[in-house]
Amino acid sequence: MPIFAVKTTARQEETVADMIASKEMADIHAVLAPDSLTSYVMVEADDDSIIERVLEEIPHARGMVPGTSSMTEVEHFLSPTPDVEGIAEGDIVELIAGPFKGEKAQVQRIDEGKDQVTVELYEATVPIPVTVRGDQIRVLDSEER
């Protein structure tokens, strides 16, 4: 099944995707507006003529990109990236949420399955391991660099 790219106005991707999906046409099978793809919506359809007809009625849709994409080209948009990606043991991080917000710490352990990181606070008199979600920290200094 071919996948077509539709050019949109910036920051209107979800609106355009919702409007295409609301048309409920049998020839349009799926619509995707990935966060990491600005000004484009991916549409899975039988052929491009049906999409062109639908786009005439949709504001913020700027037209179609010539050609098609395959599922292998867009599947990386379908799986969420874990919050702990890019964090390594020994990294210096800052906690950006929770009771220790603003504290600096060193990463001791990473649990990718639970998307959690165990850190040891710098300022603590006694080293205390604290486990936080991956989205609650920001890497300041990485040993890999």
Side-chain angles (χ1 to χ4, degrees):
M1 188 75 48
I3 298 172
F4 301 93
V6 175
K7 179 93 170 110
T8 68
T9 305
R11 295 185 297 282
Q12 296 296 322
E13 302 87 1
E14 283 190 36
T15 306
V16 171
D18 289 344
M19 292 174 101
I20 293 171
S22 71
K23 296 295 181 188
E24 295 182 12
M25 301 188 92
D27 296 339
I28 296 177
H29 304 288
V31 183
L32 175 67
D35 292 336
S36 57
L37 193 61
T38 307
S39 299
Y40 292 95
V41 171
M42 307 307 287
V43 182
E44 183 180 29
D46 291 337
D47 65 75
D48 58 352
S49 61
I50 188 73
I51 299 172
E52 287 174 353
R53 282 200 305 273
V54 167
L55 294 183
E56 290 173 4
E57 305 167 16
I58 297 177
H60 304 296
R62 299 283 172 242
M64 288 184 49
V65 176
T68 64
S69 297
S70 65
M71 183 57 79
T72 54
E73 292 176 312
V74 298
E75 67 186 355
H76 67 278
F77 293 122
L78 301 175
S79 56
T81 56
D83 291 324
V84 296
E85 191 173 285
I87 300 172
E89 288 183 16
D91 283 358
I92 308 304
V93 297
E94 178 183 6
L95 282 81
I96 56 173
F100 299 106
K101 182 177 179 176
E103 294 284 332
K104 290 182 177 51
Q106 184 172 22
V107 176
Q108 300 299 314
R109 194 170 52 249
I110 300 168
D111 186 344
E112 289 184 16
K114 293 182 180 176
D115 213 16
Q116 294 180 335
V117 179
T118 302
V119 297
E120 203 170 87
L121 300 174
Y122 267 158
E123 306 295 320
T125 312
V126 178
I128 306 168
V130 178
T131 303
V132 295
R133 291 193 329 257
D135 64 347
Q136 293 183 335
I137 60 173
R138 177 172 58 101
V139 177
L140 297 176
D141 187 29
S142 178
E143 288 185 353
E144 292 178 356
R145 291 183 202 136

